[in-house]
Amino acid sequence: MRLFVAVQLSPDVKRALTQLQNRLREAGVSARYVDPDNLHLTLAFIGEWPDDITPLLPRPEAPFSITLTHIGVFKRANVLWAGIAPSRELFDLAARVRTRLTAAGIPFDAGAFTPHITLARKPILPGGALPQIEIPPVGMTVDSVCLYWSHRIKDKLVYTVIGRSGICQEDDT
Ligand code: 2AM
């Protein structure tokens, strides 16, 4: 199974990001836009791993908020993304996910955590620059992390949530 750990986005945030994708289209940015169902905030990319690792997923020490702030481009990866306001809690959560994976001997992409939500791949920017687009000041509360299974259904890339932190822990208390 191709796996990654991510924050599942609220319907409000997904809606705002879909509107943002539409504004980018209207501003002339052609790209492979991420299907709204697939929008997420990755904390750790695992790749091929045979087992369900849901019991390893941590919960935040306390629920916290994240807010959309800006858009940007990773030139090397050729992706256009929405950024999140700096959040110590989000960095702590990604670090806890990664610490648990390491302790369990599960390999993952250990590159620096750069919080972003990929909106589009291979963007072609009109005039070579990102258009000036207002970012809706939308946010959400993070109280769990999810295990995603990346797979294909009839050539369509599908990210399916197969586990969520908190469920087992809550059942145990
Ligand atoms: P991206 O959106 O910036 O491409 C599923 O592939 C998710 O894991 C995507 O959000 C992707 O980030 C992220 N990811 C992080 N490292 C990855 C890697 N080495 N290979 C593929 N996806 C990776």
Side-chain angles (χ1 to χ4, degrees):
M1 290 188 289
R2 187 175 166 92
L3 300 177
F4 61 95
V5 179
V7 173
Q8 186 175 37
L9 303 175
S10 70
D12 279 355
V13 169
K14 279 197 178 179
R15 207 170 301 120
L17 292 171
T18 308
Q19 282 168 7
L20 201 48
Q21 289 177 317
N22 287 336
R23 296 221 182 89
L24 287 162
R25 283 191 187 94
E26 286 158 16
V29 177
S30 58
R32 270 199 295 126
Y33 283 89
V34 174
D35 186 308
D37 287 340
N38 279 352
L39 294 166
H40 63 275
L41 170 53
T42 302
L43 302 176
F45 177 77
I46 297 168
E48 284 301 323
W49 188 254
D51 307 320
D52 178 5
I53 58 146
T54 303
L56 291 177
L57 299 180
R59 295 189 80 184
E61 274 168 22
F64 63 93
S65 309
I66 54 172
T67 312
L68 301 178
T69 47
H70 60 296
I71 53 174
V73 169
F74 290 146
K75 288 216 171 89
R76 214 164 45 144
N78 209 5
V79 297
L80 195 164
W81 43 263
I84 308 290
S87 159
R88 186 187 55 75
E89 292 95 334
L90 185 61
F91 275 88
D92 284 353
L93 187 58
R96 287 179 63 215
V97 169
R98 291 164 178 232
T99 300
R100 288 192 180 191
L101 293 176
T102 303
I106 298 170
F108 60 93
D109 184 337
F113 174 55
T114 47
H116 67 279
I117 300 163
T118 296
L119 299 175
R121 301 182 193 283
K122 300 189 177 168
I124 299 172
L125 307 177
L130 272 174
Q132 297 290 321
I133 290 181
E134 203 184 317
I135 312 300
V138 173
M140 59 172 274
T141 301
V142 177
D143 62 6
S144 62
V145 304
C146 290
L147 181 63
Y148 280 78
W149 173 37
S150 166
H151 55 120
R152 287 190 178 271
I153 299 178
K154 291 186 186 157
D155 270 356
K156 188 173 182 267
L157 185 61
V158 179
Y159 297 149
T160 304
V161 173
I162 58 172
R164 180 187 298 275
S165 62
I167 307 299
C168 301
Q169 287 92 330
E170 274 166 12
D171 286 347
D172 286 344
T173 55

